Amino acid sequence: MVRQSRGRRWARQGLNLWRAGGWGRVLLGLVPLLVMLPHALGIVQYGTVTRLEQQVHDVMLMHGRAPATLDERIVIVDVDEQSLQQHGRWPWSRSVLATLSEELLQRQQVAVLGYDVLFAEPERDDTLPRVSEWLRSQRQSGPVLDEQLKQLAERFDRDGELVRALQGQPVVLGYYYSNRPPVLETGSLTPPLHIKPQPGDPEVYPRVPLMQGYAGSLPALARAVGHGGFINAEIDSDGVLRSIPLVARRLEEGRTAYYPALALEMLMLALQVDTARLVPLQPEGLPPQQRLIGIELEQDGRSFLVPTVAGGRFLVPFRSGSGVPGGRYRYVSAKDVLDGRLAEGELRHKLVLVGTTAPGLRDLRATPVSTAYPGVEVHASVLSAMLDGDFLQSPDYSRGYAAVAMMLAVGLLLVVLARTGMVGALLWSLGMAAVFVVFHLELFIREGLMLPLASILLTILLTYVLHTSFGFFVERRTKRQLVELFGHYVPTELVARMATHPEQYTTQAVSRELTVMFCDLQQFTSLSESMDPESLQALLNDIFNRMADVIGPNHGTIDKYMGDCVMVFWGAPVADEAHAWHAVKTAIELRAMMHGYNQERRAAGLPAIGASIGINTGLMSVGDMGSEMRRSYTVIGDAVNLAARLEPLARTYGVPMVVGEQTVQQVAQCHWQWLDRIRVSGKAQAVNIYVPFTDGSELDAGQQRELGLWHQFRQDYLAQDWKRCDALLVQLQALAPRRVLYRLYRERIDDFLARPPAADWDGVTLQTLKKSADVIYLTEDAG
């Protein structure tokens, strides 16, 4: 029978699984995929899965990023508790802020000064109005007094003092936008981004946040500075800040204007970039609803892209905790700046952000790396990332990737889990999850890619849980029936294997190529006559238990015990492509087992016990056969009968086993020695029979010479060259004088020399050969 390819075998098993009801497992395994796909594709959003994705994002951010190092380009001037104690509660007088700004811009010569502070309302000081009212109440007036009051008003103009300090300086003012009703517009906005679109770029990106109301800067201050950026942050559904909008849109006079975030405007001012391009999702030709994927800045003929995710958001690449312990940015107390404690030019060419970490000012945010992260450091982290090109990206193909990954994972699991047990299913599931985790972590570390992971892992987990539940609750009954069905016929270890796929096994008789073995104990009848029943029973049980210990690991199915003979077959009920080799291997190991067993018996002063084996491969019927009273899972057929006839021939030829030629054709692991060409009683077709010349090991020089001489003897024997056969036998008997086979052929050649066979003799020997009663082959004999 031609062996089927592995692919065809898997296809056949899959078809049998479907026909036997395994489709229930398949359909159940598709449930997690059908549930999770809508979330992956963005059709629906499961809050729990979204929070899991956010937590995975946080874990990767905390453990997958490079260690925090001090960014010497950026300095944070902190309005901390010490500063508030010295200069009073917030907000400070604009006069104090003017002094702070002059120190940073003039004496320290910073490159860019950014204020994470709002200047939306004028500073209120009623001292001058009260003085004027009192003077008028005293009826004092005139040109001199009016001029003095005018000079005094200029001196009390704190806002003007700040305007003069910031006039024409590299400063970026912070402002805040809000769409919550009531929509209010306080102060003035600095100019929007100067957009330089390319042909085909849309004017409107609907997903970008819409700025309706805002709290800007004082008009005079906005005009004097000319640079500003919003300080809004994006808070996720779990209350954690992971991103900020990089741009916001606003409708102005029938067109859409785009305003930058504070960090983006500081970057453009530092690099002297005055134009930008909003880069849409490619390919071109998509409708205006396409999302913004980045902001392209041009400098000295070169351009670089700052990527964004949905809604024009910028994922903040947090690296460490916040504040001085975080070690990422230098913090300088505003008190020290105002007191002039910094050496002149100590902050030269630095990008400086003014903000606060004082808890009472409510600018602390929950982030993946800290539950109280200063808002000013969020802007510092964004600015640092843009300077370094260290971006986190959630590419436009994320949803498609997640859907494909889920389908591949579930498809592979459905194929694999159906072929493994509970432990194997767990290992496969954990292994697949680990592969995805390592793959995502590698992409995150190397490329900064943030791809969906939690939904994929959850799909794998649900698939495993449903598979295990199906196996426990649904297949439990099927496996119990299988054990009841085959437990009396098949070794326990094979029943366990069968229980993993119970739908593939049945006791219905089928025709299949199998290998069968008969093993009979020699001289056991005479030995048993001298033993009492209890001792005989103990002896048989001991021998058969030792045999079972050899047969079981080699996938054999013990058919029956017949007195002192055991019948075993391979290839059913569990399919075994190597059934022929496993049968031969079992016979070799049984011979070694009997050798050790006889050494024990000799040491105890007991006679040795021999064993003869017959093995044959062929087409036979296998199934549950018998009457209603007693049934047995067994094999029948001509190939079985031939194996039964071969077993006693082992004693005739003086060998441990006789193996049919169909078995030999499928076992290349052994070197074979031809025994004879025989025709058994009742059969017209002759068969060649063999014995393993070695146990599978390589031949030494002597064995190679002996086997070579025997191959030549066989050719001369079939050619009826009796004189040549006689000469070869002399050499063979000299090499192995105790070999019964050569002694048997010596007698046969002597007969042929005296009485040659007919001219049409075909080399076939009938099974009714001459047998010598004194020729008994014991397994420990070498030859």
Side-chain angles (χ1 to χ4, degrees):
M1 178 179 292
V2 180
R3 296 182 182 180
Q4 294 180 331
S5 67
R6 180 174 295 180
R8 290 180 61 189
R9 186 179 78 253
W10 280 29
R12 184 179 69 251
Q13 291 178 350
L15 182 60
N16 292 338
L17 173 66
W18 182 270
R19 290 173 176 174
W23 53 266
R25 184 194 297 271
V26 174
L27 294 179
L28 193 62
L30 292 176
V31 170
L33 181 63
L34 297 177
V35 171
M36 296 302 300
L37 268 182
H39 175 87
L41 296 174
I43 299 174
V44 296
Q45 287 296 311
Y46 304 137
T48 301
V49 180
T50 300
R51 284 190 289 274
L52 286 175
E53 291 286 6
Q54 292 168 345
Q55 292 173 6
V56 170
H57 173 281
D58 297 347
V59 170
M60 295 180 69
L61 198 61
M62 288 187 291
H63 300 288
R65 304 297 291 171
T69 56
L70 180 66
D71 189 341
E72 297 181 351
R73 301 164 301 182
I74 301 173
V75 176
I76 296 175
V77 174
D78 184 14
V79 181
D80 53 10
E81 290 289 351
Q82 293 180 349
S83 301
L84 293 176
Q85 289 177 6
Q86 177 167 320
H87 295 280
R89 64 183 180 85
W90 190 263
W92 283 346
S93 170
R94 302 287 163 78
S95 176
V96 176
L97 292 174
T99 303
L100 179 70
S101 301
E102 289 175 348
E103 170 68 17
L104 294 172
L105 294 167
Q106 303 300 327
R107 186 167 178 268
Q108 295 299 326
Q109 299 181 10
V110 301
V112 177
L113 176 60
Y115 270 102
D116 184 23
V117 175
L118 298 181
F119 301 107
E121 298 177 354
E123 181 176 341
R124 294 181 179 181
D125 189 343
D126 58 357
T127 302
L128 182 59
R130 289 185 178 184
V131 171
S132 300
E133 182 180 353
W134 181 81
L135 289 173
R136 287 187 174 88
S137 68
Q138 299 297 319
R139 299 181 179 180
Q140 297 184 16
S141 63
V144 176
L145 181 59
D146 290 342
E147 181 63 26
Q148 291 177 344
L149 289 175
K150 180 180 178 181
Q151 293 176 4
L152 193 60
E154 291 179 356
R155 185 163 186 171
F156 275 90
D157 184 7
R158 310 301 187 190
D159 293 330
E161 188 176 351
L162 181 59
V163 169
R164 289 189 293 274
L166 301 183
Q167 180 78 41
Q169 297 295 327
V171 176
V172 179
L173 301 175
Y175 56 87
Y176 190 86
Y177 71 82
S178 175
N179 299 327
R180 295 180 180 178
V183 176
L184 301 176
E185 295 181 356
T186 305
S188 297
L189 294 175
T190 51
L193 285 172
H194 181 206
I195 302 297
K196 185 180 179 181
Q198 290 187 2
D201 287 357
E203 180 184 353
V204 180
Y205 293 86
R207 298 186 182 180
V208 171
L210 178 63
M211 181 192 303
Q212 293 179 330
Y214 58 84
S217 300
L218 296 174
L221 195 59
R223 288 192 301 270
V225 174
H227 297 282
F230 57 80
I231 58 176
N232 296 69
E234 187 80 19
I235 306 300
D236 290 335
S237 58
D238 58 352
V240 177
L241 187 156
R242 298 181 178 88
S243 63
I244 69 165
L246 209 55
V247 291
R249 61 189 173 94
R250 176 173 170 78
L251 299 178
E252 296 179 348
E253 299 178 356
R255 59 181 295 271
T256 301
Y258 290 90
Y259 288 83
L262 177 66
L264 178 60
E265 183 67 13
M266 289 185 65
L267 176 72
M268 296 179 67
L269 183 57
L271 300 180
Q272 298 182 353
V273 175
D274 58 358
T275 61
R277 178 194 171 213
L278 303 182
V279 181
L281 173 65
Q282 299 298 326
E284 298 179 359
L286 292 177
Q289 286 74 22
Q290 60 187 327
R291 70 178 177 88
L292 177 68
I293 64 168
I295 299 173
E296 187 177 66
L297 306 179
E298 293 185 2
Q299 179 195 33
D300 299 331
R302 295 178 300 174
S303 64
F304 64 95
L305 181 69
V306 179
T308 63
V309 295
R313 294 181 295 112
F314 183 88
L315 295 175
V316 183
F318 297 103
R319 284 194 178 183
S320 66
S322 60
V324 176
R328 179 65 174 148
Y329 306 101
R330 179 185 176 186
Y331 273 76
V332 177
S333 174
K335 172 181 175 296
D336 293 339
V337 177
L338 289 168
D339 292 346
R341 294 187 179 182
L342 300 183
E344 184 176 355
E346 186 175 336
L347 303 183
R348 182 181 288 113
H349 305 316
K350 306 293 186 183
L351 302 177
V352 175
L353 280 158
V354 178
T356 177
T357 63
L361 299 183
R362 297 184 299 178
D363 193 31
L364 301 178
R365 309 297 178 92
T367 67
V369 296
S370 174
T371 57
Y373 200 94
V376 64
E377 191 166 338
V378 174
H379 302 298
S381 298
V382 175
L383 182 58
S384 175
M386 291 191 292
L387 288 170
D388 292 336
D390 180 20
F391 303 128
L392 300 181
Q393 302 179 59
S394 179
D396 52 278
Y397 55 79
S398 295
R399 289 180 176 176
Y401 162 80
V404 172
M406 287 178 187
M407 289 187 286
L408 289 177
V410 171
L412 181 59
L413 286 177
L414 288 179
V415 173
V416 173
L417 297 187
R419 303 172 60 86
T420 59
M422 184 174 296
V423 176
L426 177 61
L427 294 177
W428 267 97
S429 301
L430 291 177
M432 183 174 295
V435 168
F436 275 107
V437 170
V438 172
F439 177 67
H440 281 236
L441 190 59
E442 187 73 11
L443 289 179
F444 175 73
I445 294 174
R446 291 182 177 272
E447 305 296 335
L449 291 180
M450 299 293 298
L451 295 173
L453 177 60
S455 55
I456 299 173
L457 297 181
L458 190 58
T459 302
I460 294 174
L461 173 63
L462 291 176
T463 302
Y464 166 75
V465 169
L466 289 178
H467 166 84
T468 306
S469 300
F470 181 88
F472 183 79
F473 293 107
V474 179
E475 292 184 350
R476 190 176 181 182
R477 178 173 54 87
T478 306
K479 292 180 180 180
R480 184 172 61 252
Q481 293 174 346
L482 183 72
V483 172
E484 293 175 354
L485 190 63
F486 286 98
H488 299 292
Y489 315 135
V490 184
T492 304
E493 56 271 19
L494 288 185
V495 174
R497 288 178 54 192
M498 294 166 63
T500 59
H501 298 286
E503 69 283 346
Q504 298 181 12
Y505 303 98
T506 177
T507 57
Q508 183 178 357
V510 294
S511 183
R512 188 183 301 177
E513 183 190 70
L514 307 174
T515 299
V516 64
M517 177 187 80
F518 288 85
C519 179
D520 190 22
L521 300 178
Q522 298 180 20
Q523 285 189 320
F524 194 81
T525 301
S526 58
L527 181 64
S528 63
E529 292 176 352
S530 60
M531 301 176 64
D532 58 80
E534 290 80 7
S535 300
L536 178 62
Q537 181 186 34
L539 176 62
L540 276 177
N541 289 342
D542 186 21
I543 295 176
F544 286 152
N545 282 331
R546 294 176 185 235
M547 287 184 173
D549 290 340
V550 175
I551 295 169
N554 285 292
H555 316 299
T557 299
I558 298 177
D559 187 308
K560 60 177 69 72
Y561 296 101
M562 301 168 289
D564 58 355
C565 177
V566 60
M567 174 181 173
V568 188
F569 59 88
W570 284 261
V574 179
D576 183 4
E577 287 190 351
H579 53 83
W581 161 239
H582 286 145
V584 174
K585 181 171 176 287
T586 300
I588 294 173
E589 292 178 2
L590 283 176
R591 180 186 181 190
M593 182 275 292
M594 290 298 295
H595 175 73
Y597 179 69
N598 281 326
Q599 286 182 334
E600 296 176 10
R601 289 184 60 83
R602 287 195 181 99
L606 300 174
I609 299 176
S612 57
I613 298 174
I615 300 175
N616 189 46
T617 300
L619 195 64
M620 55 192 75
S621 297
V622 57
D624 193 31
M625 304 178 190
S627 65
E628 292 295 334
M629 182 178 297
R630 189 174 186 277
R631 306 180 66 84
S632 175
Y633 187 77
T634 187
V635 290
I636 60 173
D638 289 342
V640 180
N641 296 335
L642 178 59
R645 300 288 183 87
L646 296 182
E647 178 271 314
L649 293 182
R651 293 186 289 274
T652 300
Y653 292 92
V655 292
M657 69 190 78
V658 175
V659 182
E661 58 184 324
Q662 288 197 48
T663 305
V664 173
Q665 291 171 5
Q666 298 187 30
V667 180
Q669 292 89 335
C670 295
H671 297 280
W672 294 97
Q673 184 175 28
W674 177 80
L675 293 178
D676 207 345
R677 181 173 174 82
I678 66 171
R679 183 181 295 112
V680 299
S681 302
K683 299 292 292 184
Q685 185 178 2
V687 294
N688 290 296
I689 55 176
Y690 299 82
V691 66
F693 195 68
T694 65
D695 59 359
S697 58
E698 293 298 323
L699 301 176
D700 58 29
Q703 291 172 326
Q704 290 179 3
R705 183 168 182 269
E706 181 180 352
L707 195 58
L709 289 172
W710 181 253
H711 288 331
Q712 183 61 49
F713 172 83
R714 178 188 178 186
Q715 295 177 10
D716 295 337
Y717 179 78
L718 296 177
Q720 301 187 39
D721 188 346
W722 311 124
K723 292 184 178 180
R724 177 65 177 166
C725 288
D726 181 67
L728 289 172
L729 275 178
V730 171
Q731 299 180 59
L732 287 167
Q733 287 188 297
L735 291 173
R738 299 180 60 194
R739 188 67 58 85
V740 175
L741 177 65
Y742 301 155
R743 195 161 65 229
L744 184 148
Y745 271 93
R746 163 57 60 196
E747 297 176 1
R748 191 180 299 181
I749 294 302
D750 290 344
D751 289 343
F752 286 159
L753 285 171
R755 293 179 296 278
D760 59 350
W761 179 71
D762 57 1
V764 175
T765 302
L766 294 179
Q767 186 183 353
T768 54
L769 295 170
K770 177 182 179 182
K771 302 178 184 178
S772 300
D774 58 340
V775 177
I776 298 177
Y777 186 85
L778 299 179
T779 58
E780 63 269 20
D781 289 343

